[in-house]
Amino acid sequence: MIVIAGTQYALNDPVILTVGGVVTLILLLLFLSLRAANRSARMAEPLSRQMAHLGQHVQQLGQGQEQLRGGLQHVSDTQANAQVQVIQTVESRLSSVQQQMNDRLADNAMKSARALAEMQERMKESLHGSSKQTATSLTQLQERLSAIDKAQDNITKLSGDVLSLQDILSNKQTRGAFGEIQLNDIVSKALPSDSFQLQATLSNGRRADCLINLPNPPGPIVIDSKFPLEAYEALIGSTNDMELKAAVQMFRSTVRKHITDISEKYILDGETADGALMFLPSEAVYAELHAKFPELVQESFTKRVWIVSPTTCMATLNTMRAILKDARMREQAGAIRKELGLLHKDVERLGDRVGNLDRHFGQAAKDISEIKISAEKAGRRAQRLDNFDFEELAPDDHTNVVPLGQSEG
């Protein structure tokens, strides 16, 4: 029996059994809770110690960071001050060097300007002299051409008057000299005196009435004036068919032989042109030959003998004059080209000398810079020796200085 609050309960009573079970269960739960709490406390104890240790480390890191911040601030201030001083020093030196370089460059520019002005003046004088000579030559050439044009006009007027050979040629001697005299008069008035030769002797011993000195090609060309006028007089003086037939046959054979003689005598390979001129002293003879004897004209072409009258000879000489004028202009152009070549060489030589002068200036600037560096080093050494500051000599002095009171190790 169990007495609770004055009431007795049997041990086998269901209420007692239920209450006892509940109490036992509660006690068991309390025991398990306490055991779990003890185990949790034991497990949390190392963690709390680590947290405490970690807190100490964090506090130490904060202190170190604060110290590092202070040190960095000090270093930054020191570096900023040093950088400002270095910048000021460099700017001062650069300003000094720039001023010196500006002075040297100004001096060099003045010297170069003076030298170039002198060279330009000499070149201007040379060019002025060359242009003056060229203008003089062109003026003289123009005067000669004007004189030739006037002579051509006079010859053209004179050649327009066709005269009767029967009235002019009164005897044989006059007939022989007529063609030569007329040819000489036409050539002397149409061409410069130094461009032709009268009665010139060739290498084969033959004497040409006139030799025109043309440049190659075509080369010197011969003009022959020995036309057989007797055959033409017989042709125009015939009174019947028999005489006319005989005169035509004689004229044809005489002219053909004269063309062959000119071709063989006055066309020389390597000495004269590949053709020659046969001068007819009358336009009437020229017209008769071309009108009634075209086969003779064709044969003359084949043998490279060109038949000319006073009028056509003047036209041919005008063409030759143009050729001579062109050749002389080429000679003048060659002389001008030669002078331009010499001028070009002078300009190249001037450029080389200016380049040499520039290299000398560059070497002088380099030497002055090196002298300035040496002078600065010498000045620093003198200043340090004057202050007895031997311990702070720069490494670039290349001198081992032992402080006072110590022996060299």
Side-chain angles (χ1 to χ4, degrees), residues 155-166 168-169 178-179 182 186 227 229 232 236 251 278-292 297 307-316:
I155 292 173
T156 303
K157 293 178 182 179
L158 292 175
S159 62
D161 299 331
V162 180
L163 302 178
S164 173
L165 291 177
Q166 190 172 3
I168 296 176
L169 305 177
F178 176 71
Q182 190 175 5
I186 293 174
F227 184 77
L229 293 176
Y232 177 74
I236 62 174
F251 184 81
M278 185 176 72
F279 178 72
L280 302 180
S282 173
E283 298 291 343
V285 178
Y286 183 81
E288 185 75 15
L289 183 64
H290 280 75
K292 297 181 179 180
V297 177
I307 302 174
V308 294
S309 66
T311 303
T312 57
C313 182
M314 178 60 65
T316 304

Side-chain angles (χ1 to χ4, degrees), residues 187-261:
V187 172
S188 62
K189 292 181 179 179
L191 297 178
S193 59
D194 58 348
S195 62
F196 64 91
Q197 300 178 31
L198 300 177
Q199 301 300 319
T201 303
L202 303 179
S203 61
N204 58 3
R206 302 293 182 178
R207 186 181 296 275
D209 294 331
C210 182
L211 180 65
I212 309 298
N213 297 317
L214 295 179
N216 285 316
I221 186 169
V222 175
I223 303 178
D224 182 81
S225 62
K226 303 179 185 67
F227 184 77
L229 293 176
E230 293 84 356
Y232 177 74
E233 290 178 350
L235 179 64
I236 62 174
S238 59
T239 57
N240 52 52
D241 293 340
M242 185 177 295
E243 290 180 358
L244 179 62
K245 184 177 180 181
V248 168
Q249 185 65 28
M250 184 180 67
F251 184 81
R252 182 179 288 108
S253 61
T254 304
V255 173
R256 180 177 289 113
K257 183 179 181 302
H258 190 57
I259 292 173
T260 302
D261 291 340

Side-chain angles (χ1 to χ4, degrees), residues 20-290:
V22 171
V23 171
T24 303
L25 181 59
I26 291 173
L27 291 176
L28 181 59
L29 291 173
L30 289 174
F31 177 74
L32 292 175
S33 299
L34 290 174
R35 188 176 180 181
N38 291 332
R39 188 181 296 112
S40 299
R42 287 195 301 269
M43 293 177 64
E45 183 177 358
L47 181 60
S48 62
R49 287 197 300 269
Q50 291 178 0
M51 291 296 293
H53 186 65
L54 182 61
Q56 293 177 359
H57 280 291
V58 170
Q59 185 177 4
Q60 291 177 0
L61 287 174
Q63 294 176 358
Q65 185 176 5
E66 190 66 27
Q67 294 176 359
L68 180 61
R69 185 182 295 110
L72 289 175
Q73 184 66 31
H74 179 70
V75 170
S76 176
D77 295 340
T78 305
Q79 185 176 5
N81 294 330
Q83 186 175 4
V84 170
Q85 294 178 357
V86 169
I87 291 174
Q88 292 177 353
T89 304
V90 170
E91 288 179 351
S92 176
R93 293 184 179 179
L94 285 177
S95 177
S96 177
V97 171
Q98 185 176 5
Q99 184 64 32
Q100 294 177 0
M101 290 299 295
N102 290 334
D103 295 340
R104 291 195 185 97
L105 289 175
D107 189 17
N108 294 336
M110 292 178 62
K111 292 180 180 178
S112 300
R114 287 196 297 269
L116 289 176
E118 294 176 358
M119 293 178 184
Q120 186 176 7
E121 187 66 26
R122 290 198 295 269
M123 290 176 63
K124 187 183 295 183
E125 293 176 357
S126 177
L127 291 174
H128 180 69
S130 300
S131 61
K132 186 176 181 181
Q133 293 178 358
T134 304
T136 303
S137 300
L138 292 176
T139 302
Q140 294 176 355
L141 181 60
Q142 186 174 4
E143 292 176 354
R144 292 178 182 177
L145 292 177
S146 177
I148 292 172
D149 291 336
K150 291 180 181 179
Q152 180 184 354
D153 294 337
N154 294 330
I155 292 173
T156 303
K157 293 178 182 179
L158 292 175
S159 62
D161 299 331
V162 180
L163 302 178
S164 173
L165 291 177
Q166 190 172 3
D167 296 336
I168 296 176
L169 305 177
S170 59
N171 54 54
K172 186 175 182 179
Q173 184 177 2
T174 305
R175 287 197 305 267
F178 176 71
E180 183 177 344
I181 293 173
Q182 190 175 5
L183 175 63
N184 294 345
D185 184 65
I186 293 174
V187 172
S188 62
K189 292 181 179 179
L191 297 178
S193 59
D194 58 348
S195 62
F196 64 91
Q197 300 178 31
L198 300 177
Q199 301 300 319
T201 303
L202 303 179
S203 61
N204 58 3
R206 302 293 182 178
R207 186 181 296 275
D209 294 331
C210 182
L211 180 65
I212 309 298
N213 297 317
L214 295 179
N216 285 316
I221 186 169
V222 175
I223 303 178
D224 182 81
S225 62
K226 303 179 185 67
F227 184 77
L229 293 176
E230 293 84 356
Y232 177 74
E233 290 178 350
L235 179 64
I236 62 174
S238 59
T239 57
N240 52 52
D241 293 340
M242 185 177 295
E243 290 180 358
L244 179 62
K245 184 177 180 181
V248 168
Q249 185 65 28
M250 184 180 67
F251 184 81
R252 182 179 288 108
S253 61
T254 304
V255 173
R256 180 177 289 113
K257 183 179 181 302
H258 190 57
I259 292 173
T260 302
D261 291 340
I262 293 175
S263 176
E264 293 175 352
K265 294 178 182 178
Y266 302 131
I267 300 177
L268 304 177
D269 292 338
E271 183 177 355
T272 64
D274 60 352
L277 298 180
M278 185 176 72
F279 178 72
L280 302 180
S282 173
E283 298 291 343
V285 178
Y286 183 81
E288 185 75 15
L289 183 64
H290 280 75

